[in-house]
Amino acid sequence: MTESSTLQTAMTRPVTSLSASLAAEQPAINIALSEATADLPALVLPIVRHVLGPGGKRLRPLLTVFVARLLGYTAKDIYPLAAAIEMFHVATLLHDDVLDNAVLRRGQTAAHQVFGVTETILAGDALLAKGNHVVASYSEPRLTASTAEAIARTAGGEILELEQQGKLSENLLTYLEVITGKTAWMIRTACEIGAILAKASPSQIAAAAEYGLNLGMAFQLVDDALDFAPSAQTGKPEGGDVREGKCTPPISFYWKTLDAPEQELFAATFAEQRFTDAEVKAVTLAIREQGLDDKTRTIADTYLQRAQDALDKLTTDLPSASAPFLSILTDFIIHVRDRNA
């Protein structure tokens, strides 16, 4: 697929409604985050402020707010719930960075590099506990069940990814299972809890969840394609998944283009994660030249279409007054390439 693909073209479209809505909703979400975390133990509070302060656009909490507003919910108590979903997400980032021994997160030094591994793990635990406390305060069992499942699914995805590290696969079934858990389910839950709080119908709640799940799948697929984009474009090293032994679609596609002896050598090196910088660069260039990153974006397009179909179902019987929120939600699909969320 070329730069004229649906996803690539959509990303060049100016979206003023999205920018305006982000500017309108982010401050309230940030205030809710600050208030919810203010009483965390002194040992972990600097870590929480370090990771919550810069960077992200609050994609998950914004989706919670937008879905609720779309369904007619106007109360301000949406913001603590939205903040809780961000706390869950950030907790997983803290733990992931420790597992990956990451150096950077959102353009700044990763928390465990600054504050220590033990302290960072405990900060993640504190955020998970605090987020659960916030959700429980709504006294709505469906909210508690939804967020508990999201945490479990995220952990399951991370565990499966660790189990599969260094293994190459002929198909994408395991990969899709991994990203369903580690990325898509939390985005699904962000949408679902917004619908639940808005007291939506069962079919609307299901459509909101379907929208979020498919958006999340596309989100991760695009991110894995961008792993092979030039560093000047992404601001991060190229081919990180090759080095780390993560079998994403571009790597699987590349491996299957090799002849049998080359496949065997690549698999052995991949399993031991001992590629040289020159080898990583060669693989990265080959993936780009053969369009295997764009082939991955084609898969993402399929999920984006499913997300749009779910959004269409969600909005079938809604009044015209909800139109501004429809455009905002659609903008999130279009802007799914923006990974600084």
Side-chain angles (χ1 to χ4, degrees), residues 247-267:
C247 186
T248 62
I251 294 170
S252 178
F253 296 150
Y254 170 77
W255 176 57
K256 286 186 283 188
T257 68
L258 304 175
D259 59 31
E262 290 175 325
Q263 281 191 351
E264 185 176 348
L265 176 60
F266 185 86

Side-chain angles (χ1 to χ4, degrees), residues 37-54 90 94 108-112 114-116 119-120 122-124 126-127:
T37 57
D39 62 351
L40 290 178
L43 177 68
V44 301
L45 190 55
I47 303 172
V48 170
R49 288 174 175 164
H50 175 84
V51 74
L52 282 177
V90 170
L94 288 171
Q108 68 170 2
T109 306
H112 68 280
V114 178
F115 301 98
E119 293 84 353
T120 299
L122 289 173
L127 282 171

Side-chain angles (χ1 to χ4, degrees), residues 92-263:
T92 66
L93 297 184
L94 288 171
H95 290 164
D96 288 351
D97 285 348
V98 170
L99 289 172
D100 296 340
N101 195 27
V103 176
L104 297 174
R105 167 64 64 182
R106 292 173 174 170
Q108 68 170 2
T109 306
H112 68 280
Q113 302 279 355
V114 178
F115 301 98
V117 169
T118 300
E119 293 84 353
T120 299
I121 292 172
L122 289 173
D125 293 345
L127 282 171
L128 288 172
K130 187 64 178 182
N132 276 304
H133 184 266
V134 170
V135 175
S137 71
Y138 286 81
S139 300
E140 169 51 78
R142 291 178 300 170
L143 291 176
T144 304
S146 178
T147 53
E149 183 174 10
I151 294 168
R153 291 269 191 166
T154 302
E158 295 287 356
I159 292 167
L160 181 59
E161 183 176 59
L162 188 61
E163 289 176 348
Q164 296 299 311
Q165 193 167 13
K167 299 178 183 177
L168 291 161
S169 177
E170 291 283 351
N171 59 61
L172 299 180
L173 294 179
T174 300
Y175 165 81
L176 293 174
E177 186 179 352
V178 167
I179 69 170
T180 297
K182 81 169 192 175
T183 300
W185 206 271
M186 193 66 75
I187 294 176
R188 175 193 185 277
T189 299
C191 296
E192 183 178 54
I193 61 175
I196 291 172
L197 190 64
K199 301 189 184 304
S201 69
S203 63
Q204 288 173 324
I205 293 172
E210 184 182 354
Y211 165 80
L213 181 69
N214 285 289
L215 180 67
M217 296 295 284
F219 191 76
Q220 187 61 55
L221 279 157
V222 168
D223 189 49
D224 290 337
L226 285 172
D227 190 60
F228 299 94
S231 294
Q233 177 183 332
T234 64
K236 62 181 182 179
E238 302 170 25
D241 290 336
V242 178
R243 292 185 177 88
E244 295 171 15
K246 295 179 180 179
C247 186
T248 62
I251 294 170
S252 178
F253 296 150
Y254 170 77
W255 176 57
K256 286 186 283 188
T257 68
L258 304 175
D259 59 31
E262 290 175 325
Q263 281 191 351

Side-chain angles (χ1 to χ4, degrees), residues 1 5-8 10-11 210-211 213-222 296-312 329-337:
M1 189 167 66
S5 69
T6 301
L7 191 58
Q8 183 75 17
M11 281 303 298
E210 184 182 354
Y211 165 80
L213 181 69
N214 285 289
L215 180 67
M217 296 295 284
F219 191 76
Q220 187 61 55
L221 279 157
V222 168
T296 302
R297 293 185 181 95
T298 302
I299 304 172
D301 279 339
T302 300
Y303 285 101
L304 286 175
Q305 185 57 57
R306 292 177 187 174
Q308 183 61 61
D309 293 344
L311 184 57
D312 291 342
L329 287 168
T330 302
D331 291 342
F332 270 115
I333 299 176
I334 294 169
H335 282 256
V336 71
R337 280 179 186 262

